[in-house]
Amino acid sequence: MDRNELLNNYYRKIYKLALYQLQDVQEAEDLTHDIFYKVLKSLGSFQEKSDLYTWIYRIALNTIRNYHRRKKIVKFISLEYESKVGSTLVDPASDDPALSSEDEQQKMIKMGKFNEAIKKLSDREKTAFFFFHYEKMKQKKIAEVMGTTVSAVESLVFKSMKKIKKFVA
């Protein structure tokens, strides 16, 4: 498979995964570029022990996990700095005219709760939930991509749904 075909077949899927995991468009775009840089750089070492799709998703998941680890460290350091310097938080949506109707406000509240619920899932729960509900992958394929068993995937999907429902309700 040549470079353009690889990008055409997988770029959008990996971007959706990154966006789902990071909840930030710019970070997702940047990380997707990093992931495909790694994929293209390592393509010569692909041994076809698994299919290409699985191999690319594993690179993506590892890259996203590493990014989360680095981000947590930076956030911790930032919180330490803010606690010493002090800061005030402002709600950017407080004077937004687009949120004037009650329906729009309710939708925003529900989406906010859903996004907060997603953030509270473990990385493994978040990944299983994404593949199952957004990518519509079979549990067997998810298990292969995540390097785990089908029963573990079933459990992760069930737990993630239970946590989300509890938080959003």
Side-chain angles (χ1 to χ4, degrees), residues 60 106 146:
Q106 290 297 342
M146 291 181 68

Side-chain angles (χ1 to χ4, degrees), residues 59-76:
I59 290 172
L61 288 174
N62 287 334
T63 304
I64 291 167
R65 279 189 199 115
N66 289 338
Y67 179 80
H68 276 301
R69 284 186 196 115
R70 285 191 309 271
K71 193 173 177 181
K72 283 179 185 175
I73 291 169
V74 169
K75 187 175 181 180
F76 175 75

Side-chain angles (χ1 to χ4, degrees), residues 49-162:
K49 291 180 180 177
S50 62
D51 67 24
L52 186 61
Y53 182 73
T54 301
W55 181 74
I56 291 171
Y57 267 107
R58 284 199 178 162
I59 290 172
L61 288 174
N62 287 334
T63 304
I64 291 167
R65 279 189 199 115
N66 289 338
Y67 179 80
H68 276 301
R69 284 186 196 115
R70 285 191 309 271
K71 193 173 177 181
K72 283 179 185 175
I73 291 169
V74 169
K75 187 175 181 180
F76 175 75
I77 292 169
S78 296
L79 288 173
E80 284 289 311
Y81 176 75
E82 282 182 18
S83 69
K84 291 177 183 171
V85 175
S87 68
T88 58
L89 298 175
V90 177
D91 180 8
S94 60
D95 293 327
D96 190 350
L99 299 177
S100 59
S101 77
E102 280 187 42
D103 288 342
E104 285 298 313
Q105 288 178 348
Q106 290 297 342
K107 285 180 187 175
M108 293 300 287
I109 289 168
K110 284 183 180 178
M111 281 304 295
K113 284 183 177 181
F114 180 77
N115 288 334
E116 285 302 312
I118 295 294
K119 289 177 184 176
K120 292 185 183 289
L121 297 176
S122 72
D123 287 343
R124 291 175 50 79
E125 290 168 339
K126 199 181 296 183
T127 301
F129 181 85
F130 173 81
F131 285 142
F132 187 76
H133 291 285
Y134 290 101
E135 289 293 317
K136 306 293 186 212
M137 288 173 68
K138 302 281 186 210
Q139 291 175 343
K140 184 177 180 182
K141 186 69 171 176
I142 297 170
E144 188 179 319
V145 170
M146 291 181 68
T148 191
T149 64
V150 174
S151 61
V153 170
E154 290 171 352
S155 176
L156 289 167
V157 170
F158 178 77
K159 285 179 185 176
S160 64
M161 285 301 299
K162 189 175 177 181

